[in-house]
Structures are given as C-alpha cells and as structure tokens.
Amino acid sequence: GVMRDGSSADFPTDADGRVMHLQVRPGQLANRVLSVGDAGRARRIAEACFDGGRFAVHPSTRGFGVYTGLFEGTPVSIVATGMGTPMMDFVVREGTAVVRGELAMVRLGTCGGLGHTRPGNVVVATKGLVLVRQEPDFVHASEGSDDEAAAAAPAAAGLPMSPTRQVPYSISRIVMPDAELSEAFATAIDAQLQASKGSTSDISAYSVTRGSGATADSFYASQGRINAIFDDRNETLVGEIEKRVPDAAALEMESFHLISLAKASRGKLRAAAATIPLVSRASGKWLDADHVRPLEIAGGRAAFAALSSMTLAGALAPAELELE
Ligand code: R1P
Ligand code: URA
C-alpha cells in the first residue's frame, strides 16, 4: 500500500532504509533519472556532466550504481542499470518507490540499427516501442519429445495448459513514450551534436533519427542473431520486425519496459528512450570506435538538459538530497 508520505510499504528495505536491490534510501535518488546499461558509461557521464564534476556514488551489490549530483543547479541521478527488462524493472519500481513526487526518467542505451539506420545516428523512440520475446512453448514443442510427454500430464489431470504457440517469437503492440520528454531529448541531442563541430571530438556528422524501437528479451535469439549451436528458429525475425513495426530503427533490451511501466504508473513517472546504434544489422557495419564515447557524453548531457526541462510536482529540492 502507498503510505501518507507517498512512499510504499510493499518494498522490502534494509536496516538503513535502502530498497532491497537498487540499495538507495530517500534522499539518494533524484526525481530526474538517466538510466544507462553500462556502468562505465554511467561513470563517464557523471564525471563529464555534473556541475563541478561533483556527485555522490551509491553502489549496489546487485550490479546497479546510482550517481546523484546537480546539472545547472537541478538534482539529477544516473543509474547504471545493467542489461535486460528484469534489471530495468528493479530500477523503475524501486526508484519510484524511494522518490517523493513525480519522476522523469530517460534511457540512453546502445542498440543494433534496423532498416537503413546508420551507426552513430542517435535513435530517439518518438514513434514508440514494441517488445519481442521468444515463445518457450514453441521452442520445446517438438513432437514425441520428453517435454511433450511431461506437458501432457497436467492435461490428463484436467488442468488448463498454455496452448502451443504457432510462432517462435511474439511481437507486442506499440507503446508510446512521453511526447514532451521525447521531443526535448531529441532536440537536446541534436543541439549537442551540432555544438561539437570543430572540437577534437567532432561528432556533428551524426544526426538524430526520430523512429520506433524494438526491445528484445535477449541480445542473441530474439535479436535474430543466428547461432550454430542453438535451434533458435530466428532466421526471418529481423525482417519481420522491420515489416511489422513502422520506422523501426533500434533493436535493444530495455526501453520498452521503461516506457510500459511509465504508462502503468498512474502519472507518477514520465519516460523517454534514446539509443546509439553500434552496428547496422543489415550491412554488419560497426560504428567507428572513436566516436562511441563522444556520442555517450553528448547523449548524457542532452538527457540532463531534457530531464531538467520537465516540470515535476513535489520534486525534492537540492537541500533534500545527499549530493556527496
Ligand atoms: C547489450 O549489449 C546491451 O546494450 C544495449 C542493450 O539494450 C543491452 O543492455 O543497451 P546498453 O548499452 O544501455 O546496455
Ligand atoms: N545492443 C543490443 O541490444 N543489440 C545490438 O545489436 C547492439 C547493442
């Protein structure tokens, strides 16, 4: 249940009041949150983008890391999230549980580029996201297998069974991100790319793509990477995603879940997602390795700018946060 101060009694905490997995307590996470998959990216953005290069660090024994500081005077946190929707689930649910007031959260990730997406052209999912999952009942449904014999037992006992799926992968309907936050993020990334012109890390040749994305439950099978060892039945999957999802530009592992949870949050959380395509899935061409870090910093600073531009009811003041 939700308590009078807006916190929730349904989140187990330790003796210091820290939520079980994200391992922060009230005052350690800001209302404005940037989620990134890679812990090194989180640290690099923190060092480059927080006011005065100063921030508090809260590591977690579950693989998360929270960095909280100020951006042009506004409290912001970066959360090193790890990979996959279960990790994003912890960040969003435990993060919203420890923060009073409304939240805005953006993800800055990496992805595989779909269609004609050029590696390095940052995809902002202004046109929504779908979830792609491998269907377990398809993979293990081969006739005459011991799996089939085992599955027949509950049926024989008259218990309901999940039907055998006809397709190896499911593609969900599209969910739409917060329009204002997405557009602010896209505009800010574009401004950062342009601002790099003439600098030692000039990335002004890259641009922003406003498109849609697909979040997969694996880097491998459900992203259509063909494997010599495993029978994944995924040879046509990338093409099917591109056909079914208009303007599909990015294939990654967390964004759908962030947007979907924001939609379910009854107005507490607004969310948007952007990704840096590391590779074109069509051509197999990879992004110039020297350009990855400048793109991360540009995206991080743009995320801070977009988050800071949002009006959030009941947000914590700088004095209410632990900033070192
Ligand atoms: C896979 O390499 C990871 O990279 C992408 C995927 O979503 C997955 O988490 O995003 P991050 O770079 O943010 O981790
Ligand atoms: N991250 C992904 O999830 N997929 C890619 O192809 C590249 C980065």
Side-chain angles (χ1 to χ4, degrees), residues 107 109-113 216 218-219 223 225 251-254 276-279 281 286:
R107 162 167 156 73
T110 60
C111 69
S218 163
F219 183 85
Q223 290 191 28
R225 288 190 164 90
L251 184 52
E252 50 72 64
M253 296 180 61
E254 298 82 14
I276 302 164
L278 295 182
V279 58
R281 293 303 309 279
W286 284 77

Side-chain angles (χ1 to χ4, degrees), residues 276-323:
I276 302 164
L278 295 182
V279 58
S280 161
R281 293 303 309 279
S283 71
K285 185 184 176 303
W286 284 77
L287 176 60
D288 182 339
D290 293 344
H291 292 165
V292 177
R293 298 211 171 168
L295 284 164
E296 284 178 349
I297 300 302
R301 194 166 284 119
F304 279 16
L307 289 165
S308 303
S309 76
M310 301 296 286
T311 303
L312 301 175
L316 296 166
E320 295 178 280
L321 281 146
E322 292 178 33
L323 295 173

Side-chain angles (χ1 to χ4, degrees), residues 38-50:
D38 181 81
R41 186 183 317 140
R43 164 71 64 173
R44 288 189 289 276
I45 294 171
E47 287 171 353
C49 301
F50 280 125

Side-chain angles (χ1 to χ4, degrees), residues 14-35:
D14 69 10
D16 295 324
R18 298 179 308 169
V19 282
M20 190 170 173
H21 309 91
L22 196 55
Q23 296 171 4
V24 285
R25 61 172 180 259
Q28 295 183 332
L29 186 72
N31 295 69
R32 294 171 168 82
V33 178
L34 165 60
S35 162

